[in-house]
Amino acid sequence: LILFKYFYYNIVLQMNSNDDDELLNCFICFQKVRRAKMCPYCSKMGCYECLKMWFEKSKMECPYCRQEATLNSFADCGRFVD
């Protein structure tokens, strides 16, 4: 529950910033995020499919902040973004 509140707070905080379009874009493909997943370390959002391809082809780390992670460690944020 605490982790959920943390992610929810970060999404609301990010959505209230001046760069709304940039925040809703995937940091891998730069398109509007689809099936959003959020890194538990840097709170950046990416598309599920982009992140899945990253983890299948690369190291087990966030492609943005490089913290050790897996696809399952990324929070599902689709209901807030989609």
Side-chain angles (χ1 to χ4, degrees), residues 14-27:
Q14 288 179 5
M15 293 182 115
N16 288 331
S17 77
N18 293 331
D19 299 323
D20 290 340
D21 290 337
E22 184 179 321
L23 291 171
L24 297 177
N25 288 344
C26 172
F27 64 92

Side-chain angles (χ1 to χ4, degrees), residues 14 22-23 27 37-46 51 62 64-65 74:
Q14 288 179 5
E22 184 179 321
L23 291 171
F27 64 92
K37 302 283 272 180
M38 181 188 285
C39 176
Y41 303 103
C42 65
S43 301
K44 292 290 185 181
M45 286 190 283
L51 289 164
C62 171
Y64 189 83
C65 69
F74 277 62

Side-chain angles (χ1 to χ4, degrees), residues 39-43 54-55 59-70 73-74:
C39 176
Y41 303 103
C42 65
S43 301
W54 168 265
F55 285 113
K59 295 180 181 177
M60 291 294 144
E61 62 186 17
C62 171
Y64 189 83
C65 69
R66 306 292 188 200
Q67 287 288 322
E68 189 174 316
T70 64
S73 67
F74 277 62

